[in-house]
């Protein structure tokens, strides 16, 4: 036991040394992200909310891309690409990758990019290399979570023993940055750069492939082909919902197919050898269901990615038929390029395609009416406000149940503010207020109605749109709710007022 522990500690020590020698830029990026996260969240919270926002979620992409470029350029004439790979950080910032499909596509592409960087072009290494990376990521996250738990336990003990009082919000930020932005990536480098497995077929892989994924695949297949028989009998078109079942069936089949190619011992080769041919009915149904939805209702962001999934699955299934094109390494490159083109390239990205499609799609009278009457809820993102030169700050209630307190009354037509004596001190028509605020941010009423993301529009002018100045006070609004045509009900809610 003692020898085993000593060996493991020696391996860990050697792993740390290898990280500092061969992956210095990755280590520096981790430190910089951690320090930036701590400083901005503790000392410059308002600035962070305004300028950084969701950027820290891009850390896995930035770190993973630099790591992949490092692996790819080792011992090559392209090594200079590694030293300029840190430019991925400003690139991610300017691409504004928030918590959305952009982040999901980016993270998945980064994991596949690490596989490509390892240059294991033979099919037999495809699944094992990706699974190794995923396991390394999983283990590093688990150990980092244990680390953050231990840090809080130590802090609790110190606080209790020495009768201290700590600000847990700040320590939570520090521990999170240390555990997930420093410890986790270092552990990933140690585990992922260790001895790489050659093929699948070990106990964990066998359980996952044979006893979990394969039964699920057959269940999906039975459901799908029973439904296909029903379509042939009734001469009907497949429903849009069938897309999820068909994609699940085809993706599971591809995972099992590519994995079984890596097994040293044959595993149901008699079936998965001809999987591309068995999948033709499912692929046809998937194409019909997808195109039917797109032709009837136009593109939306989910439908853009649905079509990309269908195209990608079709390419893989066709490529598997021919020995010359059955190259998982190059098919992965094509898949990454395809999804990233329609995610990050302006004017062909999913958001632009969806907006263009819906804007140019002819609407029925009912659809036009529904579009006009759609309700929007705009929230004030302002977290702080300069109260210098004001005499008094007053938080308002939206009713007069509390005696001797300021309150406001908001109806669908107008808003009124009363002081502690019950006297009316401010009154304004709701529509007039919205029109005045739009004028302040320099946009016409027509442009505002046509803007798809209204919240993003007013966020850029948050210090103007949600603020109303009068000779005696400044009003700070919390929510403004309205119909898209600015007719009918408009509801306005107030956070507080500042008395001059």
């Amino acid at each position: 036991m003692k020898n085993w522990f000593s060996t493991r500690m020696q391996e860990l020590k050697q792993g740390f040394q290898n990280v500092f020698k061969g992956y210095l830029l990755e280590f520096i990026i981790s430190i910089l992200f951690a320090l930036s996260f701590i400083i901005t969240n503790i000392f410059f919270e308002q600035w962070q909310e305004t300028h950084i926002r969701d950027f820290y979620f891009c850390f896995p992409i930035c770190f993973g891309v630099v790591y992949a470029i490092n692996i790819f350029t080792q011992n090559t004439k392209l090594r200079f690409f590694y030293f300029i790979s840190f430019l991925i950080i400003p690139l991610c910032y300017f691409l504004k990758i928030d918590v959305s499909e952009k982040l999901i596509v980016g993270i998945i592409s980064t994991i596949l990019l690490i596989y490509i960087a390892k240059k294991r072009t033979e099919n037999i290494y495809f699944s094992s290399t990706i699974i190794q990376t995923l396991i390394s990521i999983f283990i590093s996250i688990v150990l980092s979570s244990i680390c953050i738990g231990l840090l809080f336990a130590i802090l609790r003990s110190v606080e209790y023993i020495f009768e201290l009082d700590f600000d847990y919000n700040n320590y939570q930020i520090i521990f999170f940055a240390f555990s997930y932005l420093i410890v986790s990536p270092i552990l990933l480098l140690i585990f992922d750069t260790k001895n790489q497995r050659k093929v699948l077929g070990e106990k964990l892989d066998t359980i996952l492939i044979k006893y979990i994924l394969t039964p699920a695949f057959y269940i999906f297949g039975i459901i799908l082909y029973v439904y296909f028989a029903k379509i042939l009998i009734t001469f009907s078109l497949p429903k849009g919902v069938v897309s999820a079942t068909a994609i699940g069936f085809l993706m599971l089949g591809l995972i099992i197919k590519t994995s079984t190619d890596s097994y040293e011992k044959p595993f149901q080769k008699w079936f998965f050898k001809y999987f591309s041919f068995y999948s033709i009915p499912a692929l046809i149904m998937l194409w019909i269901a997808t195109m039917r939805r797109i032709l009837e209702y136009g593109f939306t962001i989910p439908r853009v990615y649905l079509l990309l999934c269908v195209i990608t699955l079709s390419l893989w299934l066709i490529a598997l038929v021919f020995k010359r094109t059955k190259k998982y390494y190059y098919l992965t490159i094509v898949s990454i390029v395809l999804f990233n083109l329609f995610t990050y390239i302006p004017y062909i990205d999913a958001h632009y395609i969806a907006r263009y499609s819906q804007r140019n799609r002819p609407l029925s009278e009912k659809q036009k009416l529904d579009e006009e009457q759609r309700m929007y809820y705009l929230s004030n993102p302002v977290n702080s406000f300069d109260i210098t030169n004001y005499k008094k700050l007053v938080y308002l209630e939206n009713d007069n149940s509390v005696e001797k307190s300021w309150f406001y009354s908001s109806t669908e037509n107008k808003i009124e503010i009363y002081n502690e004596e019950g006297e009316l001190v401010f009154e304004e028509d709701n529509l007039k207020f919205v029109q005045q605020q739009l004028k302040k941010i320099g946009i016409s009423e027509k442009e505002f109605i046509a803007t798809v993301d209204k919240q993003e529009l007013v966020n850029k002018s948050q210090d103007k749109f949600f603020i109303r100045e009068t000779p005696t006070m400044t009003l700070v609004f919390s929510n403004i709710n309205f119909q898209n045509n600015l007719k009918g009900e408009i509801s306005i809610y107030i956070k507080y007022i500042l008395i001059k």
Side-chain angles (χ1 to χ4, degrees):
M1 183 69 182
K2 184 178 179 181
N3 291 335
W4 180 89
F5 183 76
S6 299
T7 304
R8 298 288 85 80
M9 289 302 297
Q10 187 62 35
E11 287 180 357
L12 190 62
K13 181 182 176 181
Q14 186 63 44
F16 274 110
Q17 291 175 350
N18 292 338
V19 166
F20 295 135
K21 288 179 182 178
Y23 304 92
L24 183 60
L25 188 56
E26 290 90 321
F27 180 72
I28 292 172
I29 288 173
S30 295
I31 296 293
L32 290 177
F33 260 90
L35 290 176
S36 174
F37 183 82
I38 293 169
I39 292 169
T40 57
N41 277 280
I42 293 178
F43 301 106
F44 305 100
E45 186 177 358
Q46 180 59 42
W47 185 87
Q48 193 269 348
E49 284 287 333
T50 305
H51 298 285
I52 301 295
R53 300 184 69 182
D54 295 330
F55 174 66
Y56 291 117
F57 287 101
C58 296
F59 172 72
I61 299 174
C62 297
F63 180 87
V65 169
V66 172
Y67 173 46
I69 293 174
N70 187 0
I71 299 171
F72 187 81
T73 59
Q74 283 177 355
N75 304 317
T76 69
K77 295 179 180 180
L78 302 174
R79 191 59 179 167
F80 70 94
F81 277 113
Y82 172 62
F83 298 110
I84 63 171
S85 61
F86 68 90
L87 294 175
I88 188 66
I89 299 174
L91 178 61
C92 286
Y93 181 80
F94 289 116
L95 286 173
K96 295 181 179 179
I97 304 176
D98 53 1
V99 183
S100 63
E101 70 285 341
K102 282 187 176 182
L103 185 66
I104 296 171
V105 170
I107 291 175
I108 294 174
S109 298
T110 302
I111 294 171
L112 295 176
L113 194 64
I114 293 172
Y115 153 68
I116 292 170
K118 292 178 180 178
K119 302 176 185 177
R120 308 184 82 178
T121 57
E122 301 88 347
N123 285 355
I124 194 172
Y125 295 127
F126 173 75
S127 297
S128 62
T129 306
I130 293 177
I131 289 176
Q132 175 195 329
T133 303
L134 290 173
I135 290 174
S136 300
I137 292 170
F138 176 75
I139 294 174
S140 64
I141 291 174
V142 169
L143 293 178
S144 300
S145 301
I146 294 172
C147 176
I148 199 171
L150 291 173
L151 289 171
F152 271 111
I154 293 169
L155 187 67
R156 282 278 189 182
S157 300
V158 172
E159 183 182 42
Y160 179 77
I161 293 171
F162 296 101
E163 298 181 355
L164 301 173
D165 187 17
F166 294 121
D167 183 354
Y168 275 84
N169 288 331
N170 289 343
Y171 281 102
Q172 181 177 343
I173 292 168
I174 295 169
F175 292 166
F176 178 90
F178 176 74
S179 299
Y180 293 115
L181 299 181
I182 297 178
V183 174
S184 184
I186 290 176
L187 290 175
L188 169 63
L189 293 175
I190 293 172
F191 296 137
D192 200 51
T193 55
K194 205 176 174 182
N195 296 331
Q196 299 178 5
R197 296 177 301 165
K198 293 183 177 180
V199 294
L200 294 177
E202 296 177 358
K203 190 173 182 180
L204 178 63
D205 306 322
T206 303
I207 293 172
L208 178 65
I209 300 296
K210 286 188 177 181
Y211 304 112
I212 298 176
L213 297 185
T214 302
F217 167 78
Y218 286 129
I219 292 170
F220 269 114
I222 291 169
I223 294 171
L224 202 61
Y225 283 90
V226 167
Y227 180 68
F228 184 60
K230 178 188 173 185
I231 288 174
L232 292 176
I233 294 170
T234 59
F235 294 100
S236 59
L237 290 172
K239 298 179 181 179
V241 184
V242 78
S243 301
T245 307
I247 288 176
F249 170 77
L250 294 173
M251 288 193 70
L252 277 174
L254 282 173
I255 291 170
I256 298 168
K257 163 67 176 169
T258 55
S259 298
T260 53
D261 283 352
S262 302
Y263 272 67
E264 290 179 321
K265 295 181 180 180
F267 171 64
Q268 297 193 2
K269 295 266 184 179
W270 59 271
F271 181 86
F272 288 103
K273 182 179 180 180
Y274 304 102
F275 172 67
S276 292
F277 299 103
Y278 300 143
S279 65
I280 290 174
L283 195 61
I284 292 172
M285 277 194 291
L286 182 56
W287 270 104
I288 293 172
T290 302
M291 295 310 299
R292 181 186 177 189
R293 299 292 292 178
I294 292 172
L295 293 174
E296 286 184 359
Y297 304 107
F299 279 107
T300 58
I301 293 173
R303 288 185 199 129
V304 172
Y305 284 103
L306 173 62
L307 183 59
L308 287 175
C309 286
V310 176
I311 293 171
T312 304
L313 287 170
S314 301
L315 287 174
W316 275 76
L317 291 169
I318 293 170
L320 295 185
V321 174
F322 306 100
K323 188 175 181 179
R324 189 172 181 179
T325 56
K326 187 184 173 183
K327 303 291 183 182
Y328 301 152
Y329 185 85
Y330 299 105
L331 286 170
T332 303
I333 295 175
V334 172
S335 302
I336 292 174
V337 171
L338 188 62
F339 273 88
N340 282 270
L341 274 177
F342 292 95
T343 300
Y344 297 111
I345 304 301
Y347 302 111
I348 61 170
D349 62 282
H351 282 267
Y352 181 84
I353 293 172
R355 284 199 300 270
Y356 182 83
S357 175
Q358 295 301 317
R359 190 183 299 129
N360 291 277
R361 188 168 63 89
L363 301 177
S364 65
E365 291 302 317
K366 182 179 182 302
Q367 288 172 326
K368 288 179 182 178
L369 184 62
D370 290 341
E371 180 65 25
E372 287 182 350
Q373 294 180 345
R374 183 184 298 173
M375 291 297 296
Y376 281 83
Y377 305 88
L378 301 182
S379 299
N380 185 357
V382 177
N383 292 319
S384 62
F385 191 83
D386 185 7
I387 61 173
T388 308
N389 301 323
Y390 288 98
K391 295 179 180 179
K392 187 178 182 182
L393 183 149
V394 179
Y395 284 91
L396 295 179
E397 302 288 341
N398 62 358
D399 59 63
N400 60 347
S401 59
V402 182
E403 294 185 6
K404 297 294 181 180
S405 66
W406 290 65
F407 67 93
Y408 74 95
S409 172
S410 179
T411 66
E412 63 180 41
N413 297 317
K414 65 179 180 178
I415 187 166
E416 300 172 337
I417 298 178
Y418 297 86
N419 62 17
E420 68 267 19
E421 302 299 330
E423 299 169 341
L424 180 66
V425 294
F426 177 82
E427 179 182 18
E428 188 156 79
D429 177 77
N430 290 345
L431 178 58
K432 183 180 177 182
F433 166 79
V434 173
Q435 290 171 336
Q436 288 176 343
Q437 300 306 95
L438 292 175
K439 189 176 180 180
K440 281 169 60 179
I441 64 175
I443 187 171
S444 68
E445 188 176 320
K446 185 177 180 181
E447 288 176 297
F448 181 68
I449 292 172
T451 302
V452 176
D453 195 342
K454 294 176 175 56
Q455 184 68 53
E456 183 179 344
L457 174 68
V458 299
N459 284 353
K460 296 176 182 177
S461 305
Q462 54 185 277
D463 56 335
K464 298 178 182 178
F465 191 85
F466 291 96
I467 309 297
R468 172 74 162 85
E469 296 279 355
T470 76
T472 59
M473 67 182 77
T474 297
L475 288 72
V476 181
F477 295 86
S478 58
N479 294 83
I480 299 174
N481 309 334
F482 58 92
Q483 288 183 0
N484 196 41
N485 56 9
L486 291 181
K487 295 177 182 178
E489 181 181 352
I490 299 177
S491 303
I492 297 177
Y493 303 91
I494 306 179
K495 265 186 175 181
Y496 51 83
I497 62 172
L498 295 156
I499 309 298
K500 296 180 179 178

